[in-house]
Amino acid sequence: MIQQKKKQKDILTSFKKKTSESKLCFLIVKDMLLTGFDAPIEQVMYLDRPLKEHNLLQAIARVNRTCGDSKKCGYVVDYYGVLDFLEEALSIFDKDELGKPMESMGSLYDEMLSYRENVMRMFQGKDKENIDELVKVIEPEDKRAEFEIAYKKFAGAVEALMPGHVSVDIQNDVKWLSYIRAAAKVRFNPEKKLDIADCGEKVKELISEHLTSTGVMQWIEPITLFEDDFEAKIETQMGDEAVASSMEHAIKNVINLKMDENPVFYTSLLEKLQQILEETKNDWIEKKAKLKEFINREMEKGEQGKADELGLSKREFAFFETLREVLEGKNEVEENVVKEDSVEYIANDVVELSKEISKELNKLIRENYLVDWTNNPSKTAQIEQKIYMFLISKSPKLRQVFGAEAMSKIKQLKESIVKLAKIHYGELG
């Protein structure tokens, strides 16, 4: 691998030197000329004798095959002037399908400068040293999408022009923008891996060296909420606002991923989170402290912790939360006339009934489990019927809670429980 990189570097150095003396220099930017000998590792072609038509296409097509991150394009150096015949050679192709397989280095350089201006303009007037202020520019999702497109166009053009046609100033802009991109990933999508491989081998190496030297290379990797050093990672070179925002997005990501598994439990967590965000609006230090406490108290304990307290499995706990919400909803104190210890009695009664039904549902589904029942309509109907008949059997107790509405509530519960069963009992572990 080291020898291959050295060989590529030597070729490009030689290419840079020779192109200053050549008549024309073209860059192949698309893998479109699928003709002739296939040589994906060949990157530079020197033309020093007359070639026309098919022979010309076969010659230049040898360098236009991409080869992973190490080769995104090929270079053609024309000493003889044979590319004057390129238009004639390409006449056999449909121009719409062919696109623009080649362009001059000068033309690509102008494009690169245009891409650079577009992406740098997004941060015009901002303090280049204030990462929080810079990241805030692309906080809206549409702005982040715009930045990603503009950044990749700029980085792609730089990749094609490196090393001979890219100044230190331009390289520094790539580094600076990559730092912003990594910081935005940590702040808004900490759970995702930042892909820098699509930037090309040379730009990737440039970015990696810069992020390593600044101590934020770890930002590229996913940072999950429950890592031991989660807080330490997100606090690296970031202010209170950015850290609080990273915590907020990490919490929301977990809640969104888990919501279908236990809608009642995670909706409750989301409501608590929203309350914290509202109470600490514009006070980033307080928000950071309260979110840290919320993570330690609510998120780390999670479903399993709550389930263990009740003596339930995680699957049973999902049923329990749904049942408890429906049952407690019917037992809300009307007109504030019920005594306090009476309310407490009702609450305890609801918890015990919810636990009882949850455990029996778990046993019922396991005993009647059918392979692939979640995808087979006939099997799904059988499990649904079993659940419905089980709830009917519990109607005497449910009538004590729901009264005349018992049957309609049973049908409502059946729908919710079947939905949860499909998620938790698709396969039995």
Side-chain angles (χ1 to χ4, degrees), residues 304-322:
Q304 193 61 63
K306 297 283 188 181
D308 290 343
E309 288 179 1
L310 293 163
L312 301 172
S313 69
K314 189 175 176 181
R315 286 166 168 162
E316 292 168 346
F317 181 60
F319 291 146
F320 170 84
E321 287 286 82
T322 296

Side-chain angles (χ1 to χ4, degrees), residues 315 366 369 372-374 421-429:
R315 286 166 168 162
R366 285 182 173 278
Y369 177 79
D372 198 36
W373 75 272
T374 58
K422 286 180 177 180
I423 294 170
H424 290 282
Y425 297 84
E427 293 182 6
L428 289 184

Side-chain angles (χ1 to χ4, degrees), residues 215-227:
V216 295
M217 188 63 182
Q218 63 189 12
W219 288 359
I220 291 177
E221 298 302 321
I223 304 173
T224 58
L225 184 63
F226 303 115
E227 290 181 34

Side-chain angles (χ1 to χ4, degrees), residues 195-206:
D195 185 11
I196 64 171
D198 58 355
C199 297
E201 192 71 19
K202 288 167 281 186
V203 170
K204 178 182 175 183
E205 185 176 350
L206 183 71

Side-chain angles (χ1 to χ4, degrees), residues 67-94:
C67 187
D69 293 334
S70 61
K71 180 187 172 188
K72 297 291 186 181
C73 61
Y75 302 92
V76 177
V77 183
D78 181 16
Y79 288 95
Y80 194 87
V82 294
L83 291 180
D84 291 341
F85 303 101
L86 181 62
E87 192 70 27
E88 180 183 349
L90 294 176
S91 63
I92 63 174
F93 293 93
D94 185 319

Side-chain angles (χ1 to χ4, degrees), residues 15 21 60 66 79 125 165 185 222 272 297 338 340 417:
F15 164 67
E21 306 165 359
I60 63 177
T66 58
Y79 288 95
H165 294 73
K185 193 281 293 188
K272 291 176 183 177
R297 184 184 69 249
V338 182
E340 190 172 313
I417 288 168

Side-chain angles (χ1 to χ4, degrees), residues 39-67:
I41 64 171
E42 296 295 335
Q43 191 162 23
V44 182
M45 170 71 66
Y46 299 98
L47 299 179
D48 60 357
R49 61 188 177 86
L51 291 172
K52 292 185 178 182
E53 299 173 349
H54 189 64
N55 289 334
L56 174 58
L57 294 183
Q58 284 190 321
I60 63 177
R62 294 190 182 190
V63 295
N64 84 319
R65 306 301 205 277
T66 58
C67 187

